[in-house]
Amino acid sequence: MKATEFAIVAQGVRKHYARGTADAGLNGFDLEVRSGSVCGLLGPNGAGKTTAIRILSTLLALDAGQAHVAGYDVATQGRRVRERIGLVGQYAAVDEILTGRQNLVLFGRLHHLAAASARKRADELLERFALNEAGRRPVSTYSGGMRRRLDLAATLIVPPAVLFVDEPTTGLDPAARQEVWSALRELVGAGTTVLLTTQYLEEADQLADHIAMLKAGRVIAEGTPDALKAAMGGNWLDIVLSNRTDAETTKGIAARVASGELHIDNSAHRVSVPVAAHTSALIEVASALHEAGIAPVDITLRRPTLDEVFLHLTADSPTPAEVFV
Amino acid sequence: MSTTTQPAAMRSPFARFGWALADSWAIALRDLHHWVLQPGTVFLGWLFPVMIVLMFGGLFGGAISVPGGGGYFEFLMPGMFATAMLFGLETTMLAVTTDAAKGVTDRFRSLPINSAAVVLGRCIADMLNSVVGLTILVVAGLLLGWRWRGGLIEALAAIGLLLLLRFALLWIGIFCGMIAKRPESVAAVQILVWPVSFLSNVFVDPTTMPGWLGALAQWNPLSATAAAARQLFGNPGWGGEGWIGQHAPLMAIVWPALLVVIFLPLSVRAFRTLAR
């Protein structure tokens, strides 16, 4: 059965909101996430990331299409789905007045653990997420990173088969972001399927082994981070010049090997060229520059960054490029 | 997948009902923990009606003549009991809106529990809160010289009617809390509670008001419960004018029942539309 291979399957999911509401709809959303993998759903604000998570976690009804999570239909078997998922929403959804431990015991009781097991499980999770000291304090005294960790712990009281994490590090400082990342990585090791939304390409690159790029309620590109970078037309050749006077000549040389449009960064005196034939392009450009008497400060062959992939794919061109790899 | 929970499908309907009650209690227990962790806030909520009693009884009481004679506290206390129930509306609404805004409601909804437990838990917690608040106000009234003149059964019936009003207002609170979206909107309700309590027979006899205003005050659901409580406690001032004045105990049941019939389905619908 498909369910064993894919933990999440969405086909042509549509969700429309009345005009004037801030919520982003979905417009034929397709996604398949392999069991035990981490999928990063990447997109700008308003692309529909949160809507997708809310539909897949049964919080929101879909208008059209089909979605299965852990083998069950989100529209008709909501309760079965809810028995198998964990949801970490955009806000740390924990009770701020209660202590961290009381929160975990409450959610343990709601997972129908006996009082003693709920307390035991709460202590285990506090230990695991380095919150034992803070466990006795009200959550209102926690830092943003601590709240997020408690939020994660609350979803793991009964380990879910599928975990949804909506923008886990939005609004966190870099140290807190690292804390949350390492907590998430640990989960992934345990074999849980994770669907993670993020605005940060770095985050998707760090955590996900499969990335789906969302724009205006549709997945416009998906694949491994490597495949997505390759889909951008191979590698880039960066030529950094010591001054601007050589720029025109350099552009002429670079255009000979370019497989796409050049990117010129005037303030950094940098010419970036997408190249298909990697090594030969590097040699050709280097020798041509040498013959022209231009000595670049730096010349590097590199993979495109996910930012470049993302900007390339989400650029508001009349016919958006569609890449499926 | 886990040895600690059993899929719901394997449970009998009876066991599922048992779990729904257990879940409701777990959610209600959360509020009781709040009482312990934030005693100041909760205690102020309970003392507020006592303060109003002292203010009205002490400052204005001397200037207001009580219909049928007797002290102003005798007249005021049953009305204040009803008003304290009305103040409970803010407690409910604030709790519901805060949970929705902080994502706590969504977390509950993502759990494999009966969604009615979320609302029922709120219901239990707020009713317990009002029982404690009412007890404090009764004790304060006794200290200030208020007495019930009737039998114990009648007094308990009065308490029952007061809690019935609180139960009805609970559903208005849940509904308003659901549609409010932001905790700030509660401020609007906090202001509206005042004209509703003044435009009643709680503080003054409606027959002393201009005709149309008096009629409006008499038909206020708060007046029905206050008048019924006065009657059952054997306190003065219950004999109002016209049909509505003569049927206070009946209306003290009809009004809350009507409010529940309107606002319980609206609350359930508002809870369901969270999924739309």
Side-chain angles (χ1 to χ4, degrees), chain B residues 35-224:
Chain B
W35 298 7
V36 178
L37 291 162
Q38 289 198 328
T41 314
V42 182
F43 215 68
L44 263 180
W46 288 332
L47 284 186
F48 187 67
V50 177
M51 199 189 81
I52 302 291
V53 165
L54 289 172
M55 205 171 85
F56 276 86
L59 297 180
F60 308 129
I64 297 171
S65 66
V66 175
Y72 185 59
F73 279 119
E74 293 275 300
F75 174 82
L76 181 64
M77 283 318 292
M80 268 318 295
F81 296 149
T83 307
M85 300 297 103
L86 179 65
F87 289 158
L89 183 67
E90 300 165 26
T91 314
T92 304
M93 188 177 165
L94 185 63
V96 171
T97 337
T98 307
D99 274 358
K102 303 251 172 195
V104 175
T105 307
D106 274 351
R107 160 147 275 159
F108 286 144
R109 290 175 63 229
S110 77
L111 295 172
I113 59 172
N114 190 324
S115 59
V118 183
V119 176
L120 206 57
R122 172 90 273 127
C123 205
I124 296 169
D126 284 355
M127 287 309 286
L128 285 176
N129 185 314
S130 287
V131 167
V132 177
L134 193 55
T135 308
I136 289 174
L137 196 54
V138 165
V139 171
L142 288 172
L143 290 176
L144 290 167
W146 166 79
R147 295 286 179 275
W148 73 78
R149 313 287 172 188
L152 187 65
I153 304 289
E154 283 89 345
L156 289 176
I159 299 285
L161 286 180
L162 288 164
L163 292 175
L164 180 67
L165 178 68
R166 178 67 185 92
F167 181 76
L169 292 167
L170 192 81
W171 297 103
I172 301 184
I174 291 175
F175 175 68
C176 292
M178 290 273 185
I179 59 169
K181 306 265 192 245
R182 278 194 317 278
E184 291 80 44
S185 329
V186 177
V189 170
Q190 279 170 336
I191 293 166
L192 280 174
V193 156
W194 289 101
V196 171
S197 55
F198 281 125
L199 200 55
S200 72
N201 66 12
V202 167
F203 298 103
V204 288
D205 183 353
T207 54
T208 64
M209 301 176 188
W212 63 275
L213 209 58
L216 210 63
Q218 286 214 34
W219 280 91
N220 185 338
L222 196 62
S223 299

Side-chain angles (χ1 to χ4, degrees), chain A residues 54 59 61 95 111 151 155, chain B residues 5 30 34 106-107 109 275:
Chain A
R54 289 175 65 82
L59 292 183
D95 187 311
H111 274 103
D151 201 17
T155 53
Chain B
T5 52
R30 173 182 157 229
H34 287 183
D106 274 351
R107 160 147 275 159
R109 290 175 63 229

